[in-house]
Amino acid sequence: MTDTVTGAPPAAHHSALSPTDDIARWLELFDAALTRGDVQAATQLFTTDCHWRDLIGFTWNLKTVEGRDGVQDLLTATLASTQPTNWRTEGQASRANGVTEGWFTFETAVARGRGYARLKDGLCWTLLTTVYELKGFEEKKGRARIKGAEHGVHKGRQNWTERRQQEEAELGISVQPYVLVIGGGQGGIGLGARLKRLGVPALIIDKHPRPGDQWRSRYKSLCLHDPVWYDHMPYLPFPDDWPVFCPKDKIGDWLEMYTKVMELNYWSSTECVKAKYDEEAKEWEVTVLRDGQTLVLRPKQVVFALGMSGVANVPQIEGADIFKGVQHHSSKHPGGDAYKGKKAIVLGANNSAHDICADLWENGADVTMLQRSSTHIVRSDSLMDLALGGLYSEQAVENGITTDMADLIFASVPFRIMHTFHIPVYEEIQKRDADLYDRLRKAGFMLDFGDDGSGLFMKYLRRGSGYYIDVGACDLVANGDVKLKSGVDIARITEHSVILSDGTELPADLIVYATGYGSMNGWVERLVSPEMAAKVGKCWGLGSDTTKDPGPWEGELRNMWKPTQQEALWFHGGNLHQSRHYSRYLALQLKARMEGLDTPVYGLQEVHHIA
């Protein structure tokens, strides 16, 4: 009986259980403790070094707590309002290297959820709890799908086209959207699809003439660097003959098609000019310019969905105003067609810089890359085989791992310990691709594998920069086809050249600033106010106290897909995988607020950095 109360099963009993029974027994003990309201007993079911990641199930937040003290605090604050129950295993669990792991489902007073647990010696080491639907507000799918046809005889009936045209004509004009999504790339479009399925009136606005133009307008050689299995949109996966790495115009066409068939309310050629929040009315006043006409929208919620980055970083360099050639940020680079025989300088050495250098070289330009600091390089094939293949690959699909399963397994690894999962992978990659790394170093290229050797994804999460997924450009640098100057910056610019920080002068007809972007709250500063930007603070990063990710530890990505310090202001972005997965939780949070559900936020993120 003591074991039941404390949640510490006898070792002999534990060793005799199958993996699925092990998970089931833990869930039974956990459920019983929660039902009794015995927080202390529930807490003792966790290891002392445990991690519980909750995606809106208990916290109405994206929140990770650590250690038994963290678990106890979360349960003390949320148990009464959450009323969790009905914890059940789902599928078959597994056991390897002393860790038992498996799926489960559960319910709360207002939601249904799914989770993933890892046990060590019968105690929970990592726990993921997520919500997939709200009770009474389920998506109309499967057996609940709408009929479509309106059988019978009805005077003055509207057909589907007329109803759709009416909705498009009214929303934003005579009927205000509940949610305004600023940014109509893959993030805004995917979120719009989630909101549409949930019955949330949402309007997406974007400055480009057509959905997908965000991709079409980039340099012509651009392809996705992530594989197709990682990049599906919500609800509509790519066809099974879709290329592994999708060309930019093809993804642009897919997004345009998706916007239409998912019946999204999308205003193209529309730019947000300014916005302010009315604290008394609890609504936004957003001024937009649509096809040259000024309109004012009054949504209750605003989502900035302008990618994982903010305003482009364009360095202010002495002499830039007198340069006789062409200069632009990498986001504005149209392609290398016009630069055959020209001298091109690319400032930067990450993804865009490498792609643009390769594009210019292929078009006959004389290209020099300026590398200011070290870059993490990983070959695409190695990344797919060793880092992504277990969850996102044709083999994973054949093994029965769906996209949703892969997303949840990926999400189940707490950020605090994620680097320990990645370090062995990148140690193997260094062995596998040693020849490439040796050749790059001999060419003078400054390499790194992250501050702790954890490689690409941790650099992405911590700082959103500092890496290149190699699809061929590294050979150009290693071979000297693309010239390299490392450890330097541009000190000043003349009419026809750049002067580097080491005194070298390089002739230039084109300067491309592949210098990244600022924090997403830079858009808030530009469109709302500096005060509100400071109030919500920096976006992205974990507080890992590594390069460009200052502490303290946050536990989750700053401000992404969760409540911020500014009521009714949200941020959405990231790569296609993150946009797909986390749009679910953002959409459910918005739906809950629209329906008036009680959404007490546990662990609202504090602001430690403004930008």
Side-chain angles (χ1 to χ4, degrees), residues 1-10 25 29 36 38 40-42 44-45:
M1 184 63 69
T2 302
D3 290 327
T4 301
V5 174
T6 64
R25 182 164 187 254
L29 294 171
R36 296 194 309 272
D38 192 341
Q40 183 63 27
Q44 292 303 309
L45 291 168

Side-chain angles (χ1 to χ4, degrees), residues 23 31 37 39 169 172 175 181 291 296 339 345 348 358 387 391 404 412 546 566 587 603:
I23 296 288
D31 191 9
V39 171
V175 176
V181 180
D291 291 324
V296 176
Y339 298 101
I345 304 295
L391 296 178
D404 279 347
S412 73
T546 57
Q566 173 56 52

Side-chain angles (χ1 to χ4, degrees), residues 398-576:
E398 292 170 1
N399 290 342
I401 298 179
T402 66
T403 302
D404 279 347
M405 290 173 65
D407 288 348
L408 287 170
I409 293 171
F410 202 99
S412 73
V413 180
F415 290 128
R416 174 73 86 173
I417 60 173
M418 184 176 282
H419 67 286
T420 66
F421 286 63
H422 287 248
I423 288 171
V425 173
Y426 287 92
E427 289 175 344
E428 183 59 32
I429 286 174
Q430 288 187 67
K431 296 175 184 176
R432 174 173 173 165
D433 296 324
D435 178 66
L436 171 66
Y437 297 129
D438 287 344
R439 290 191 296 119
L440 284 170
R441 290 188 180 98
K442 287 176 182 176
F445 195 88
M446 298 185 296
L447 283 168
D448 73 60
F449 284 82
D451 287 13
D452 53 7
S454 56
L456 174 73
F457 201 68
M458 295 311 301
K459 280 196 97 171
Y460 171 72
L461 292 171
R462 291 165 174 171
R463 52 184 281 190
S465 66
Y467 50 83
Y468 168 55
I469 302 173
D470 180 30
V471 292
C474 279
D475 282 330
L476 295 177
V477 175
N479 296 340
D481 296 311
V482 167
K483 300 179 180 70
L484 174 69
K485 289 285 291 183
S486 58
V488 296
D489 204 339
I490 299 176
R492 60 188 177 90
I493 299 172
T494 71
E495 290 185 348
H496 301 287
S497 67
V498 298
I499 310 297
L500 305 184
S501 53
D502 65 358
T504 303
E505 181 173 7
L506 299 176
D509 301 300
L510 168 69
I511 305 172
V512 180
Y513 301 108
T515 44
Y517 301 84
S519 171
M520 287 177 69
N521 68 334
W523 287 112
V524 178
E525 180 177 1
R526 176 176 290 190
L527 299 175
V528 187
S529 70
E531 292 76 19
M532 187 173 287
K535 181 179 181 181
V536 299
K538 178 182 175 70
C539 298
W540 211 261
L542 299 170
S544 62
D545 205 23
T546 57
T547 303
K548 295 190 178 182
D549 184 28
W553 178 249
E554 305 276 1
E556 294 285 338
L557 287 170
R558 299 181 185 97
N559 279 325
M560 299 303 299
W561 316 294
K562 61 183 179 179
T564 68
Q565 289 288 341
Q566 173 56 52
E567 181 182 10
L569 174 62
W570 309 79
F571 294 95
H572 176 53
N575 58 32
L576 280 154

